[in-house]
Amino acid sequence: MNRFLIVLCALLLMAGCHNSPDATAQQAANSKPQSAKSSQEVIAIYKEVDALTQAGKMDRYKMKEVVGEALKYVRENPNDTLCPHFLLYSGITQMQIAFSDSIAERREPLAMEAIRILEQLRHSYPDYRNLAYAFYYKGQIYENLGKKEDAKQAYTDLVHRFPDSELGKNIAAYLQADGIDKSADEIWREF
């Protein structure tokens, strides 16, 4: 009797685990890549993330979601005028994700992904009106990673490309004061 119950339970368990052709087709349909959210949906997620961040409540899951959705939108709609904005904000958000990670070994790969996004912006939308910020944040990322020469190069590129912009002028002054090699207190004392 016990042997019969064990065999019956095993058969029921196997029958419950076996996928029917309909279940397999349903799983395949669910695993297809979904199309990008609308631009308004991406903006709504970004606003939610921004509000949480401003309130000091970073939600890394939501931050990753907005980066992923924005990048998906850019891939599917490269001619949309919102794409350069989405790339800039994705790069900044990815940078925030990187430097909020409590595990040091994960910071650099996450930060390099932010640089990749900012480089995509630079190459895909070279006439974007806020492109100087892509150079600036690239420099910030390198500086935070302790890669001073890479940071100097990013800042120098910004100054050469946007010499008359306010950001370009400020970064030129920062470089002239050797800001990368000095602490904020040292720079302040010099003024």
Side-chain angles (χ1 to χ4, degrees), residues 104-138:
E105 292 79 28
R106 289 195 304 221
R107 283 187 202 123
E108 186 166 345
L110 291 169
M112 295 311 289
E113 176 61 19
I115 287 174
R116 188 197 64 71
I117 294 168
L118 295 170
E119 283 297 305
Q120 180 182 351
L121 168 61
R122 184 175 146 205
H123 292 293
S124 298
Y125 305 96
D127 297 326
Y128 177 50
R129 65 182 173 168
N130 292 321
L131 190 60
Y133 290 98
F135 290 87
Y136 171 75
Y137 285 111
K138 182 178 172 183

Side-chain angles (χ1 to χ4, degrees), residues 40-78:
Q40 294 306 312
E41 290 171 311
V42 174
I43 291 168
I45 299 168
Y46 176 75
K47 286 181 177 181
E48 181 182 355
V49 165
D50 189 50
L52 288 169
T53 303
Q54 295 296 326
K57 301 175 183 176
M58 289 181 70
D59 183 338
R60 290 171 51 88
Y61 175 78
K62 278 286 190 196
M63 293 169 86
K64 290 175 184 178
E65 179 185 8
V66 76
V67 170
E69 290 298 332
L71 294 178
K72 191 185 308 181
Y73 185 87
V74 169
R75 273 192 308 275
E76 293 182 14
N77 306 283

Side-chain angles (χ1 to χ4, degrees), residues 30 109 134:
N30 291 340

Side-chain angles (χ1 to χ4, degrees), residues 174 177-191:
Y174 179 69
D178 291 325
I180 292 175
D181 297 319
K182 296 178 182 175
S183 71
D185 289 338
E186 290 172 314
I187 294 171
W188 181 251
R189 280 192 295 266
E190 287 179 8
F191 284 114

Side-chain angles (χ1 to χ4, degrees), residues 10-173:
L11 287 172
L12 288 173
L13 183 61
M14 286 191 308
C17 291
H18 178 69
N19 285 335
S20 68
D22 291 336
T24 304
Q26 182 64 33
Q27 286 175 344
N30 291 340
S31 67
K32 288 180 185 174
Q34 295 178 348
S35 61
K37 294 185 182 299
S38 72
S39 60
Q40 294 306 312
E41 290 171 311
V42 174
I43 291 168
I45 299 168
Y46 176 75
K47 286 181 177 181
E48 181 182 355
V49 165
D50 189 50
L52 288 169
T53 303
Q54 295 296 326
K57 301 175 183 176
M58 289 181 70
D59 183 338
R60 290 171 51 88
Y61 175 78
K62 278 286 190 196
M63 293 169 86
K64 290 175 184 178
E65 179 185 8
V66 76
V67 170
E69 290 298 332
L71 294 178
K72 191 185 308 181
Y73 185 87
V74 169
R75 273 192 308 275
E76 293 182 14
N77 306 283
N79 296 323
D80 190 314
T81 58
L82 289 172
C83 288
H85 300 293
F86 284 178
L87 286 172
L88 179 61
Y89 294 125
S90 292
I92 294 168
T93 303
Q94 182 65 33
M95 177 184 74
Q96 292 171 327
I97 291 168
F99 293 113
S100 68
D101 198 303
S102 61
I103 300 174
E105 292 79 28
R106 289 195 304 221
R107 283 187 202 123
E108 186 166 345
L110 291 169
M112 295 311 289
E113 176 61 19
I115 287 174
R116 188 197 64 71
I117 294 168
L118 295 170
E119 283 297 305
Q120 180 182 351
L121 168 61
R122 184 175 146 205
H123 292 293
S124 298
Y125 305 96
D127 297 326
Y128 177 50
R129 65 182 173 168
N130 292 321
L131 190 60
Y133 290 98
F135 290 87
Y136 171 75
Y137 285 111
K138 182 178 172 183
Q140 286 286 288
I141 292 166
Y142 280 132
E143 198 168 348
N144 286 325
L145 289 173
K147 298 182 176 202
K148 293 180 180 184
E149 289 307 312
D150 291 328
K152 283 181 185 178
Q153 185 60 55
Y155 292 146
T156 301
D157 290 346
L158 185 159
V159 171
H160 287 301
R161 179 101 188 257
F162 305 97
D164 297 326
S165 71
E166 195 65 34
L167 184 58
K169 290 174 185 176
N170 288 336
I171 293 299

